[in-house]
Amino acid sequence: MGWTLSTLAEKLGLRLQGDDCEVTGVNTLEAAGSGDISFLANAKYAKYLPLSKAAAVIVTEEHASSLPRALVSENPYLDFSRAVALFAKPQGSFSGISESAYIHPEAALEEGCTVYPFAYIGSRARIGKGCVIFPGCYVGEDCVLGQNCTLYPHAALMAGTVLGSGCVLQPGAVLGADGFGFIREKDRVQKIPQIGTVRIGNNVEIGACSAVDRAVLGVTSVGDETKLDNQVQLGHNVTMGKRCFIVSQVGISGSTKVGDDVTMAGQVGVAGHLTIGNGVTIGPKSGVAKDIPDGTTCGGTPAVEGRTYMRTLALMPKFPDMYKRLGQLEQELAELRALLEKDRS
Amino acid sequence: MGWTLSTLAEKLGLRLQGDDCEVTGVNTLEAAGSGDISFLANAKYAKYLPLSKAAAVIVTEEHASSLPRALVSENPYLDFSRAVALFAKPQGSFSGISESAYIHPEAALEEGCTVYPFAYIGSRARIGKGCVIFPGCYVGEDCVLGQNCTLYPHAALMAGTVLGSGCVLQPGAVLGADGFGFIREKDRVQKIPQIGTVRIGNNVEIGACSAVDRAVLGVTSVGDETKLDNQVQLGHNVTMGKRCFIVSQVGISGSTKVGDDVTMAGQVGVAGHLTIGNGVTIGPKSGVAKDIPDGTTCGGTPAVEGRTYMRTLALMPKFPDMYKRLGQLEQELAELRALLEKDRS
Amino acid sequence: MGWTLSTLAEKLGLRLQGDDCEVTGVNTLEAAGSGDISFLANAKYAKYLPLSKAAAVIVTEEHASSLPRALVSENPYLDFSRAVALFAKPQGSFSGISESAYIHPEAALEEGCTVYPFAYIGSRARIGKGCVIFPGCYVGEDCVLGQNCTLYPHAALMAGTVLGSGCVLQPGAVLGADGFGFIREKDRVQKIPQIGTVRIGNNVEIGACSAVDRAVLGVTSVGDETKLDNQVQLGHNVTMGKRCFIVSQVGISGSTKVGDDVTMAGQVGVAGHLTIGNGVTIGPKSGVAKDIPDGTTCGGTPAVEGRTYMRTLALMPKFPDMYKRLGQLEQELAELRALLEKDRS
């Protein structure tokens, strides 16, 4: 699929510098061929500009003049991502409703849905317009999907899960598995049945093999536009705000409330029953055991304010040396004391 | 589904205080409506008691007197969980054996089983009474399932896996994948075939996307009543005891033996070939590199005894400051020494 | 399936000491019965040699003399793994191409493939000779599989994923899910479409529920003979070399380059855009935030050179004590200074 540069410029609302031509793809400055557009988002790659074979480059005004053809942008990275969206084609090789899918007679699908073979849609499930449900997906009874959701292979929505519009579930994502609630009694363990549900906002993406547990009572929720990477775990009754970025392998324990615009780097762990404020950023591998106020950048285990964390990271390799120096100090101080006491006696 | 309070009291073995009425659900004190029962398990929520609309509350004797209707319990949290169990209905929207499932002619199913469409049951598999096998489950050849097991969507039991009775596998759980055994040789890598199996006790629950690897030789085992949360990994030849609680994203390396009644918090990692005693509790994110004796509470990396761990957690934020103080001490000591030597010379 | 010892010796290229007999299995020294062979790879288990019921033991020359029957090897562990391979039988209970699979009319399968029920193979997918595709697997459009690949249940290859020959995907492995690329704008989040692919070399193994994300542009790649354990995450545009061992729950962020012969222990996290050299070994739970040169052994967060890491691990339990000693030193130094100043005044 190709576009003329002028059409592209118009669609993206950018100024075209240079003559028109047809482009068929997007690539990095180094890898772009003569039919590709490219972009310069980070000044340190400006050295590749003159060498690139790209038909045109999305750049700021500043870099445009040196190029034969450019799409001039105030935010090249953002406009690059919008350009990619024009060239990207959706995955898949099936259309319509497969006769090899199982659709419960009491399920209701709006128009324009795609249901692949081997998908299962349970009773009273309601599927919005234009949803695409890949092979092996499970949509339990009483689930509700908004419009234009994509469920990649083996995504599982257990009973009563609600998705907003435009959600994407990567392969193997699991929404609404039972929360982890048990009570040990002498020789056995009592399960606390998890009778709540999961409610996901609009334009949420859930990564491969990520799990959002159903609530014990009430609801586990994820706000609009929030994105979970792969292998993330949200415990029962977690409440997550809007526009959060939760990177791979993060685990958030039960009943914790996460605000809007929160970023958690990879492998962070958050204890249960905490409140993480709006606009919080948590560094990789951090262990969070206390509430975090709005707007805080923090990291480490336990998670502390950003500068203390960076300083701790920088100094940690000196830890064995510190231990040695401490011992030396003790010895030297003892010697000095002995000397002084000798003098005084 | 509703119950009268008096029936509920009888079923739970609790004393009903107040007049009878019908109840149809369970909820928290705050969220309960006039048809719900609720519970008070933690005294700090007692302030919600007078405000709650709940029809009746499961409470201790102490709190009962202030309420119009109460179910009096010695352990309200436990009895609440038992009450929830009475209201909970099992998930699912299918019964019988689907013609769209694949059941090998040499597989044997006892009576009362449910097999959903797109489930696969291999040769010589034996499925006990009342098991429920959701869409997309894979039960390999020679697997044995006890009675009343529930396999949620896409659970995979590789060849020869044995489950006791009453086990629950959350969506995407994998039992019996190959253990990680390889030997590097010059330019290639030799796989050590994993020819052992997995044996799971009674009433075990395995979380979503958790994996219990098959043994290289012999068996990887999990004891009765043990509960694994989501995204947990047990390596080949791990032996895990009874009534353990293993929270999300824990990884236990090969051949480690875990005792009974062990609790591991989220994201703990345990090295291979260790022995973790009975009744051990390991704090979140800990890295365990040594054996741990019975009854120990520990945490950190490396995992140390509980009080040292809590003290380390509390002091860690002072680490950069300690570094600074150490440098100052050295300088002051040097000055003092210079002074003293000047005096003495 | 049984072998005579003499045949086994010939196949493995080992010298048989003692008379011939038939053997039917492999087991540990302790568990071996009279029809099994066993092995001694670690001298500390030599004490079990005289007690073992094994028909024959794979041992070095040194230990052979004490045994009635031995297979004499220069590398008993390696030869044991080769012996296991002779006794191991492949998993599965189906052959041929199931009519309950979905194979797109434009997909092409070479001879000798096995496709189980409920597998999905998309348009233009090309499947090499002798591949085995278990139930519930998803092979997206334009995927290419080399010869003799095994895809265990629910493995998902998203569009355009390329596998070399002899690859093994454990259950629930996901190749080619979208990388995690988003840009926050005021009230919404722009997704950067991930239009690159995933390319996997020959004889690669990917663990259960592991995920290798597709590239944003270009390719995410894994080199020949590399082995990923369960629940591993490789971000978009990661480049991984040959013969790497990546243990369970490791996460590697986007665009990082990993060399050949790298070992990462469990739960390691690696930041994005880094270069990890050839032959690097990274200890468990480490957090890597900088490039690591060839041949380095390191560990910790931040990851430091091996001896510093081991020393830090050993000293960390003394941290609270160090804090105390530091305070005492300050106090003692102040007292000493006061004394000295008093003397001098």
Side-chain angles (χ1 to χ4, degrees):
Chain A
M1 189 175 58
W3 302 89
T4 60
L5 266 183
S6 54
T7 313
L8 215 55
E10 195 186 326
K11 279 183 175 286
L12 299 172
L14 303 179
R15 182 171 67 79
L16 168 61
Q17 174 198 284
D19 57 331
D20 205 0
C21 70
E22 183 158 321
V23 287
T24 54
V26 191
N27 219 325
T28 59
L29 285 172
E30 287 175 275
S34 62
D36 291 328
I37 61 164
S38 188
F39 68 104
L40 178 70
N42 186 330
K44 81 171 178 181
Y45 294 107
K47 60 184 174 191
Y48 294 116
L49 266 187
L51 306 168
S52 179
K53 293 177 186 149
V57 185
I58 303 176
V59 288
T60 54
E61 194 70 55
E62 173 194 5
H63 290 101
S65 55
S66 66
L67 293 168
R69 281 201 211 91
L71 292 169
V72 184
S73 161
E74 289 179 9
N75 187 340
Y77 190 53
L78 178 63
D79 287 322
F80 148 72
S81 76
R82 296 168 61 221
V84 175
L86 294 174
F87 287 98
K89 54 169 193 188
Q91 288 201 42
S93 51
F94 190 86
S95 59
I97 310 289
S98 170
E99 291 192 355
S100 300
Y102 177 94
I103 299 175
H104 195 282
E106 290 172 41
L109 281 75
E110 289 183 8
E111 63 196 48
C113 288
T114 301
V115 181
Y116 277 71
F118 321 132
Y120 182 99
I121 299 178
S123 52
R124 298 176 306 277
R126 302 203 314 270
I127 314 290
K129 276 186 197 172
C131 285
V132 181
I133 301 181
F134 275 74
C137 285
Y138 176 84
V139 179
E141 63 274 15
D142 300 306
C143 286
V144 179
L145 276 68
Q147 299 183 5
N148 298 314
C149 290
T150 301
L151 274 55
Y152 283 119
H154 318 134
L157 276 65
M158 303 308 289
T161 297
V162 176
L163 290 189
S165 294
C167 290
V168 177
L169 271 60
Q170 298 293 338
V174 177
L175 304 183
D178 284 349
F180 196 67
F182 299 96
I183 303 174
R184 256 189 213 114
E185 295 180 87
K186 299 158 229 158
D187 288 344
R188 60 180 298 283
V189 172
Q190 166 82 30
K191 179 177 171 99
I192 305 172
Q194 308 285 304
I195 63 172
T197 58
V198 169
R199 192 169 53 219
I200 305 288
N202 298 315
N203 301 319
V204 170
E205 184 155 336
I206 311 278
C209 303
S210 283
V212 179
D213 280 352
R214 67 195 307 104
V216 52
L217 301 171
V219 70
T220 305
S221 67
V222 177
D224 295 346
E225 308 275 338
T226 281
K227 315 294 181 180
L228 309 187
D229 199 352
N230 301 337
Q231 299 164 346
V232 166
Q233 150 76 1
L234 304 189
H236 48 189
N237 292 84
V238 162
T239 303
M240 177 159 286
K242 298 177 180 179
R243 296 174 303 274
C244 293
F245 288 0
I246 308 297
V247 176
S248 184
Q249 299 178 332
V250 166
I252 302 181
S253 302
S255 299
T256 283
K257 290 183 203 315
V258 179
D260 296 334
D261 301 298
V262 170
T263 300
M264 299 191 193
Q267 298 183 336
V268 164
V270 182
H273 300 274
L274 300 183
T275 299
I276 311 299
N278 296 319
V280 166
T281 298
I282 306 178
K285 266 192 177 300
S286 302
V288 180
K290 289 185 182 170
D291 291 352
I292 303 183
D294 287 0
T296 310
T297 295
C298 62
T301 301
V304 292
E305 176 276 334
R307 265 176 309 182
T308 306
Y309 167 54
M310 294 310 290
R311 192 100 189 96
T312 302
L313 269 192
L315 292 174
M316 189 49 73
K318 297 185 194 287
F319 184 73
D321 187 50
M322 275 175 72
Y323 187 79
K324 201 170 151 192
R325 285 163 61 190
L326 187 64
Q328 283 170 343
L329 264 179
E330 287 170 332
Q331 195 180 332
E332 286 172 29
L333 189 69
E335 287 167 9
L336 210 59
R337 180 198 299 277
L339 216 56
L340 185 61
E341 279 170 3
K342 191 177 142 205
D343 286 357
R344 305 181 86 220
S345 65
Chain B
M1 189 174 59
W3 302 88
T4 59
L5 268 182
S6 54
T7 313
L8 215 54
E10 195 187 326
K11 279 184 174 285
L12 299 173
L14 303 179
R15 182 171 67 79
L16 168 60
Q17 175 199 288
D19 56 330
D20 206 359
C21 70
E22 183 158 322
V23 287
T24 55
V26 191
N27 219 324
T28 58
L29 284 172
E30 287 175 275
S34 61
D36 292 327
I37 59 163
S38 188
F39 69 105
L40 177 71
N42 185 330
K44 80 170 175 182
Y45 294 107
K47 60 185 173 189
Y48 294 115
L49 266 186
L51 305 168
S52 180
K53 292 177 185 148
V57 186
I58 303 176
V59 289
T60 55
E61 193 70 55
E62 173 193 3
H63 290 101
S65 55
S66 66
L67 293 168
R69 281 200 211 89
L71 293 168
V72 185
S73 161
E74 289 181 7
N75 188 342
Y77 190 53
L78 178 62
D79 287 322
F80 148 72
S81 77
R82 296 169 61 220
V84 176
L86 293 174
F87 287 97
K89 56 172 191 187
Q91 288 202 41
S93 50
F94 190 88
S95 59
I97 310 289
S98 170
E99 291 192 356
S100 299
Y102 177 95
I103 299 175
H104 195 282
E106 290 173 41
L109 281 75
E110 290 182 8
E111 63 197 48
C113 288
T114 301
V115 182
Y116 276 71
F118 321 132
Y120 181 99
I121 300 178
S123 53
R124 297 176 306 279
R126 302 202 314 271
I127 314 290
K129 276 186 198 172
C131 285
V132 181
I133 300 181
F134 274 75
C137 285
Y138 176 84
V139 179
E141 64 272 20
D142 301 305
C143 286
V144 179
L145 276 69
Q147 299 182 5
N148 299 314
C149 290
T150 301
L151 274 53
Y152 283 119
H154 317 135
L157 277 64
M158 303 307 290
T161 297
V162 176
L163 292 189
S165 295
C167 290
V168 177
L169 271 60
Q170 298 293 338
V174 177
L175 304 184
D178 284 350
F180 197 67
F182 300 97
I183 303 174
R184 256 190 212 113
E185 295 180 88
K186 299 158 230 158
D187 289 342
R188 57 180 299 284
V189 172
Q190 167 81 31
K191 179 177 171 99
I192 306 171
Q194 307 286 302
I195 62 173
T197 56
V198 169
R199 192 169 52 219
I200 305 288
N202 299 315
N203 302 319
V204 170
E205 184 156 336
I206 311 278
C209 302
S210 284
V212 179
D213 280 352
R214 66 195 308 104
V216 53
L217 302 169
V219 72
T220 305
S221 66
V222 177
D224 296 346
E225 309 273 338
T226 281
K227 313 294 181 181
L228 308 187
D229 199 352
N230 300 337
Q231 300 164 345
V232 166
Q233 150 76 2
L234 303 190
H236 48 189
N237 292 84
V238 162
T239 303
M240 177 160 286
K242 298 177 181 179
R243 296 173 304 275
C244 293
F245 288 1
I246 308 296
V247 176
S248 184
Q249 301 178 330
V250 166
I252 303 181
S253 302
S255 299
T256 283
K257 290 183 202 313
V258 179
D260 296 334
D261 301 298
V262 170
T263 299
M264 299 191 193
Q267 299 183 333
V268 164
V270 182
H273 299 273
L274 300 183
T275 299
I276 311 299
N278 296 319
V280 166
T281 297
I282 306 178
K285 267 192 175 301
S286 302
V288 180
K290 289 186 183 168
D291 291 353
I292 302 183
D294 288 0
T296 309
T297 295
C298 62
T301 302
V304 293
E305 178 275 335
R307 264 175 310 181
T308 306
Y309 167 53
M310 293 310 289
R311 191 104 188 94
T312 301
L313 268 192
L315 292 174
M316 188 50 72
K318 298 184 193 287
F319 185 72
D321 186 51
M322 276 175 72
Y323 186 79
K324 201 170 149 192
R325 285 163 62 189
L326 186 65
Q328 283 170 342
L329 264 179
E330 286 170 333
Q331 195 181 330
E332 286 173 27
L333 189 68
E335 287 167 10
L336 211 58
R337 179 198 299 278
L339 215 58
L340 185 61
E341 279 170 3
K342 190 177 142 207
D343 286 357
R344 306 183 87 220
S345 64
Chain C
M1 188 174 60
W3 302 89
T4 61
L5 266 183
S6 54
T7 313
L8 214 54
E10 196 185 325
K11 280 184 173 285
L12 299 173
L14 302 179
R15 182 171 68 79
L16 168 61
Q17 173 199 287
D19 56 332
D20 205 1
C21 70
E22 182 158 322
V23 286
T24 54
V26 191
N27 220 324
T28 59
L29 285 172
E30 287 174 275
S34 60
D36 293 326
I37 60 163
S38 188
F39 69 105
L40 178 71
N42 185 330
K44 82 171 176 180
Y45 295 106
K47 60 185 173 189
Y48 294 115
L49 266 186
L51 306 169
S52 179
K53 292 176 185 149
V57 186
I58 304 176
V59 288
T60 55
E61 194 70 55
E62 173 193 4
H63 290 102
S65 55
S66 67
L67 293 167
R69 283 201 210 89
L71 292 169
V72 184
S73 160
E74 288 179 9
N75 187 341
Y77 191 53
L78 178 62
D79 287 323
F80 148 72
S81 76
R82 296 169 61 219
V84 175
L86 294 174
F87 287 98
K89 57 171 189 187
Q91 288 202 41
S93 51
F94 191 86
S95 59
I97 311 288
S98 171
E99 292 192 355
S100 299
Y102 177 94
I103 299 176
H104 195 282
E106 292 173 41
L109 282 74
E110 289 182 10
E111 63 197 46
C113 288
T114 301
V115 181
Y116 277 71
F118 322 131
Y120 181 99
I121 300 179
S123 53
R124 298 176 305 278
R126 303 203 313 271
I127 314 291
K129 277 186 198 172
C131 285
V132 181
I133 300 182
F134 275 74
C137 285
Y138 176 84
V139 179
E141 62 273 18
D142 301 305
C143 286
V144 180
L145 276 68
Q147 298 181 5
N148 298 315
C149 291
T150 301
L151 275 54
Y152 284 119
H154 318 134
L157 276 64
M158 302 308 289
T161 297
V162 176
L163 291 189
S165 295
C167 291
V168 177
L169 271 60
Q170 297 293 338
V174 177
L175 303 184
D178 284 350
F180 196 66
F182 299 96
I183 303 175
R184 255 192 213 113
E185 295 180 89
K186 300 158 228 158
D187 288 343
R188 57 181 298 282
V189 172
Q190 167 81 31
K191 178 175 170 101
I192 305 173
Q194 308 285 305
I195 64 173
T197 56
V198 169
R199 192 167 53 219
I200 305 288
N202 299 315
N203 302 319
V204 170
E205 184 156 335
I206 311 277
C209 302
S210 282
V212 180
D213 279 351
R214 67 195 307 106
V216 53
L217 301 170
V219 72
T220 305
S221 66
V222 177
D224 296 346
E225 308 273 339
T226 282
K227 313 294 181 180
L228 309 186
D229 199 353
N230 301 338
Q231 300 164 344
V232 166
Q233 150 76 1
L234 303 189
H236 48 188
N237 292 83
V238 162
T239 303
M240 176 160 286
K242 299 177 180 180
R243 297 173 302 276
C244 294
F245 288 0
I246 308 297
V247 175
S248 184
Q249 300 178 331
V250 166
I252 303 181
S253 302
S255 300
T256 283
K257 291 184 201 313
V258 178
D260 296 334
D261 301 298
V262 170
T263 300
M264 298 190 194
Q267 299 183 335
V268 164
V270 183
H273 300 274
L274 299 183
T275 299
I276 310 300
N278 296 319
V280 166
T281 298
I282 305 178
K285 266 191 177 299
S286 301
V288 180
K290 289 187 183 168
D291 291 353
I292 302 183
D294 288 0
T296 310
T297 295
C298 62
T301 301
V304 293
E305 177 275 334
R307 264 175 309 182
T308 305
Y309 167 56
M310 294 309 291
R311 192 101 188 94
T312 301
L313 268 192
L315 292 174
M316 189 50 73
K318 297 184 194 288
F319 185 71
D321 187 50
M322 276 175 73
Y323 186 79
K324 202 170 150 192
R325 285 164 61 191
L326 186 64
Q328 284 170 342
L329 263 179
E330 286 171 332
Q331 195 182 331
E332 287 173 26
L333 189 68
E335 289 167 8
L336 211 58
R337 179 198 300 276
L339 216 55
L340 185 60
E341 278 168 6
K342 191 177 142 204
D343 287 358
R344 303 181 87 220
S345 64

